[in-house]
């Protein structure tokens, strides 16, 4: 009978352990997002060599593992009325104190009525993250007709540092991502006599993405540093992907430690193939690939009820042996 009573007590202990209050979410984060270019290669030759400039940290302390990187690349010999080169630029850094970002025409506009955009708010497990996006860095392509040396490949390194409002002093460096990009400076007149373009209708088709000539393609062919990067959602003009991270330095019994960072890239036509995901940039104009992010809590692995029950029985077994002695 006593043995049965002890087993019953273990069952009660297991039930009470399972019913213990869940750790609370870390609800607010201040942040800084920084990104820059590295490891670029070119093809062809001409008067102008590719030039890198700018500072991804804007003269401050970089959060990137590499230190600050260039955030502007320009290349090519202009063959357009405005005598413009093609350029890739990143609006970096961006933080919770940022008040402006590029609109679809490449103009700096207010993103929160002129006030700082504010802290990132954590979305509950399974919640709608699309209501919680904060503005991150954005990539701009000034796409103009050129000849000569052209960008071929480039890497974009992106880092995000989160600091919890409460508990104070908790700082998280989200997984630093390095995107490998294959850049296709397409022939404006098309790939053949019919004006076929790699994406969309033939070159010079009125009202299309190729109205001013075949659009260039900015294709992400790989990434590094994230572990598991998952595509959460995609549609016409956007793609959402997530990476997981764990908060350290907090008591797991008090604070939830498992989260995911969801990033939305939008603003350009999206194309998929076996090699990766591409973003289409219109010829003879400014193109903006916008980036926003949200933080969402995710379930953490938990010990099974059977495992907790077994630990309880082992504790009782030790008690029995001590009593016998």
């Amino acid at each position: 009978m006593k043995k049965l009573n002890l087993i019953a007590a273990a069952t009660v202990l297991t039930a009470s352990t399972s019913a213990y209050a869940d750790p609370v979410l870390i609800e607010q984060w201040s942040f800084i997002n920084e990104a820059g270019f590295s490891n670029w290669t070119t093809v062809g030759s001409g008067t102008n060599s590719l030039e890198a400039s700018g500072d991804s940290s804007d003269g401050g302390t970089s959060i990137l593992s590499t230190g600050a990187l260039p955030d502007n690349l320009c290349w090519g010999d202009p063959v357009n009325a405005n005598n413009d080169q093609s350029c890739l630029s990143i609006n970096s850094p961006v933080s919770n104190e940022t008040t402006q970002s590029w609109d679809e025409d490449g103009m700096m506009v207010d993103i929160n009525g002129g006030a700082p955009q504010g802290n990132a708010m954590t979305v509950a497990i399974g919640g709608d993250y699309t209501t919680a996006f904060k503005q991150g860095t954005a990539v701009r392509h000034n796409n103009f007709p050129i000849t000569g040396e052209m960008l071929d490949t480039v890497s974009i390194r992106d880092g995000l540092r989160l600091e919890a409002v409460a508990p104070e002093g908790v700082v998280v460096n989200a997984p630093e991502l390095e995107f490998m990009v294959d850049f296709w400076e397409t022939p404006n007149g098309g790939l053949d006599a019919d004006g076929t373009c790699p994406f969309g209708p033939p070159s010079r088709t009125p009202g299309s993405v190729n109205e001013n000539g075949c659009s260039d393609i900015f294709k992400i062919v790989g990434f590094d540093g994230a572990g598991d990067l998952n595509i959460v959602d995609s549609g016409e003009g956007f793609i959402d992907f997530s990476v997981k991270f764990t908060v350290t330095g907090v008591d797991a019994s008090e604070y939830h430690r498992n989260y995911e960072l969801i990033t939305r890239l939008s603003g350009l036509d999206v194309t998929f193939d076996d090699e990766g995901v591409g973003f289409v940039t219109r010829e003879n104009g400014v193109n903006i690939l916008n980036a926003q992010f949200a933080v969402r809590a995710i379930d953490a692995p938990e010990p099974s009820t059977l495992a907790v029950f077994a630990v309880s029985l082992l504790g009782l077994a030790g008690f029995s042996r001590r009593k016998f002695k």
Side-chain angles (χ1 to χ4, degrees):
M1 179 62 70
K2 290 183 178 180
K3 183 176 181 181
L4 289 176
N5 288 338
L6 290 177
I7 294 175
T11 305
V12 171
L13 177 61
T14 301
S16 63
T17 303
S18 300
Y20 191 79
D22 290 334
V24 299
L25 300 183
I26 298 176
E27 295 183 343
Q28 292 190 51
W29 312 82
S30 62
F31 63 89
I32 183 168
N33 184 201
E34 180 184 349
F37 299 112
S38 65
N39 303 321
W40 53 83
T41 65
T42 61
V43 293
S45 61
T47 302
N48 297 307
S49 297
L50 183 146
E51 182 177 351
S53 60
D55 180 343
S56 60
S57 67
D58 200 21
T61 301
S62 176
I63 66 169
L64 300 178
S65 61
T66 58
L69 296 171
D71 57 10
N72 191 66
L73 302 177
C74 290
W75 64 90
D77 301 333
V79 288
N80 55 83
N82 294 325
N83 201 39
D84 289 321
Q85 290 184 290
S86 277
C87 296
L88 280 179
S89 303
I90 301 177
N91 180 26
S92 174
V94 173
S95 75
N96 51 291
E97 296 294 331
T98 295
T99 62
Q100 292 189 318
S101 187
W102 287 319
D103 67 6
E104 61 182 8
D105 298 317
M107 304 295 293
M108 293 298 289
V109 296
D110 292 340
I111 55 178
N112 189 33
Q117 65 172 324
N119 296 332
M121 308 297 291
T122 301
V123 178
I125 297 172
D128 178 11
Y129 61 86
T130 61
T131 63
F133 278 131
K134 290 296 178 180
Q135 182 64 47
T137 59
V139 178
R140 172 179 176 147
H141 182 205
N142 291 354
N143 187 355
F144 296 104
I146 58 169
T147 60
E149 185 179 66
M150 301 180 187
L151 180 67
D152 185 29
T153 63
V154 65
S155 292
I156 298 177
R157 183 169 290 274
D158 185 276
L160 177 70
R161 177 169 291 171
L162 300 165
E163 183 169 353
V165 173
E168 293 183 1
V170 175
V171 177
V172 176
N173 289 319
E176 188 173 287
L177 304 178
E178 183 177 16
F179 297 96
M180 280 72 85
V181 175
D182 183 9
F183 191 84
W184 192 353
E185 187 91 43
T186 61
N188 292 341
L191 302 178
D192 53 32
D194 294 331
T196 301
C197 295
F199 177 87
S203 177
R204 314 295 180 185
T205 300
S208 75
V209 69
N210 296 324
E211 183 173 18
N212 298 319
C214 286
S215 297
D216 293 344
I217 298 179
F218 178 96
K219 181 182 290 185
I220 298 174
V221 295
F223 67 92
D224 191 20
D228 293 329
L229 187 150
N230 300 307
I231 294 180
V232 178
D233 194 11
S234 63
E236 185 176 355
F238 79 94
I239 181 171
D240 297 347
F241 62 87
S242 72
V243 292
K244 300 176 182 178
F245 67 92
T246 301
V247 178
T248 59
V250 296
D251 187 338
S253 67
E254 295 184 21
Y255 291 99
H256 190 83
R257 299 179 60 205
N258 298 88
Y259 301 85
E260 63 179 340
L261 177 69
I262 303 175
T263 299
R264 168 166 288 188
L265 301 179
S266 64
L268 300 176
D269 289 328
V270 181
T271 176
F272 293 91
D273 62 21
D274 293 340
E275 295 179 352
V277 56
F279 298 93
V280 181
T281 66
R282 296 170 182 260
E283 194 68 40
N284 235 344
V286 175
N287 301 264
I288 303 297
L289 180 60
N290 193 38
Q292 300 169 294
F293 75 90
V295 177
R296 182 165 67 175
I298 57 176
D299 286 318
E302 296 180 355
S304 68
T305 301
L306 182 59
V308 175
F309 183 71
V311 169
S312 302
L313 290 180
L314 286 173
L316 291 172
F319 172 82
S320 299
R321 284 196 297 272
R322 288 195 299 271
K323 183 177 181 181
F324 178 77
K325 289 180 181 178

